[in-house]
């Protein structure tokens, strides 16, 4: 056990993420190898594979954290809150965390936009996020189709706000963009 | 030209779709070959490839027709109609056409549900549909983020209604389910 512990690298995961993204931006996702990512991070390939299944997953591992955060925020919101408000509060909380990584998010988006298979992976992750949110709402007693529709509406709001945020110049506030997108969704569904 | 015309098979496309779906249900998508599909349809492989790029596309070719229908319906709706109503009318028109193919849609859904890569393809097609709808709304003068949000909301409504329809017993009316899902979305986004 001590042997295993002694190989633990403080913040190895963050260094690998940063190194991978730099390389994907510099030479393209396809052209980058795990060996190069590990070298750039000053770590071994073996360490890389302790954190990530492959070079694609470096870009999507954060989505798991995001999903856990959203699900626990929806679960923890007062039962009396309307479902859409529980989802909006969860999204705003997630947005506040993402806010600190604006430059990372911008670069990541550029890498994904340049590669069709990464775009597909992003869609799959968003669909999984919608399913997880719908599940969290059902556990709060929200029935279908309201649970599915609220979750899908939440993901649509997040997607639109996130796109505006990453294409912005760095001043934009993600939690505020999320709130604005929700207000806009309320207006468009009301037929305004 | 006459030579080309004489090789044209009446409804070859429909026969190939039906044969493919039967085989995917009977023995699984992975285990079915294009040769078997062509044989079951009483056509040649060459004819198959005049209509479809590969055995996966047989399941998704209808999505192109659906997209064209939705885009032209949104474009043709009176300018005075609120965007969400233009999208709802387009979805209901598409639903009325799909209604006639309930058994086909049910079988297709079962095949897709059993295969992860087909599920991914379905997500990609839905994302493309949302992008096409947003584009049609922008050409009507709807600005962003309203255009994107309205399109995403429309696709969420379609997805939820379609899932209820294919999991139903055959009596359900898809255009009506679409209308109900839209009303439900209006209610959940309003915080009811």
């Amino acid at each position: 056990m001590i042997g295993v512990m002694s190989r633990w690298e403080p913040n190895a995961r963050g260094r690998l993420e940063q190194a991978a993204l730099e390389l994907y931006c510099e030479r393209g996702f396809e052209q980058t190898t795990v060996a190069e990512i590990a070298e750039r991070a000053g770590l071994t390939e073996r360490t890389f594979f302790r954190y990530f299944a492959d070079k694609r997953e470096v870009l999507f591992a954060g989505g798991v954290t995001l999903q856990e955060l959203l699900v626990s925020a929806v679960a923890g919101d007062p039962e009396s809150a309307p479902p859409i408000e529980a989802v909006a509060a969860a999204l705003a909380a997630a947005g506040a965390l993402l806010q600190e990584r604006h430059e990372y998010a911008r670069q990541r988006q550029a890498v994904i936009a340049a590669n069709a298979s990464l775009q597909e992976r992003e869609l799959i992750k968003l669909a999984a996020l919608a399913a997880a949110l719908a599940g969290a709402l059902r556990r709060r007693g929200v029935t279908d189709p309201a649970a599915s529709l609220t979750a899908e509406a939440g993901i649509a709001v997040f997607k639109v706000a996130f796109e505006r945020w990453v294409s912005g110049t760095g001043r934009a506030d993600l939690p505020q963009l999320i709130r604005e997108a929700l207000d806009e969704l309320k207006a468009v569904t009301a037929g305004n």
Side-chain angles (χ1 to χ4, degrees), chain A:
Chain A
M1 274 305 285
I2 287 171
V4 171
M5 289 301 287
S6 69
R7 288 207 308 276
W8 182 76
E9 294 279 349
N11 204 21
R13 186 194 172 106
R15 279 158 63 194
L16 287 161
E17 279 184 342
Q18 193 56 49
L21 196 59
E22 281 172 24
L23 288 163
Y24 298 161
C25 289
E26 284 167 28
R27 56 185 82 164
F29 173 76
E30 291 294 349
Q31 286 72 43
T32 302
T33 66
V34 168
E36 289 166 335
I37 296 167
E39 193 193 350
R40 172 76 59 107
L43 296 164
T44 63
E45 279 190 71
R46 194 175 156 151
T47 302
F48 178 94
F49 288 115
R50 273 215 297 280
Y51 293 97
F52 307 107
D54 54 42
K55 69 174 181 171
R56 190 179 68 166
E57 283 314 298
V58 186
L59 294 167
F60 296 100
V64 177
T65 314
L66 182 65
Q67 184 167 317
E68 287 166 357
L69 185 77
L70 289 175
V71 165
S72 66
V74 166
D77 210 63
E79 293 272 338
S80 57
I84 192 75
E85 295 305 329
V87 169
L91 292 172
L97 276 183
L98 283 167
Q99 183 67 29
E100 292 160 28
R101 301 190 78 191
H102 190 244
E103 194 49 35
Y104 182 89
R106 279 168 66 92
Q107 289 176 359
R108 177 182 175 279
Q109 200 72 359
V111 171
I112 288 173
N115 184 299
S117 86
L118 295 177
Q119 287 167 43
E120 294 178 7
R121 186 79 190 140
E122 185 86 323
L123 286 174
I124 292 156
K125 287 275 179 172
L126 281 172
L129 210 51
L133 269 182
L137 289 169
R138 277 182 216 111
R139 285 191 293 279
R140 279 173 65 106
V142 181
T143 52
D144 265 317
S148 301
L149 283 165
T150 306
E152 294 284 348
I155 294 302
V157 159
F158 183 75
K159 216 169 133 181
V160 167
F162 190 85
E163 273 162 22
R164 293 181 75 191
W165 181 64
V166 290
S167 62
T169 52
R171 283 171 177 274
D173 181 71
L174 181 55
Q176 192 186 324
L177 288 173
I178 289 168
R179 178 51 65 183
E180 284 171 15
L182 178 61
D183 288 344
E184 186 79 27
L185 180 69
K186 285 173 192 272
V188 299
T189 52
N192 299 340

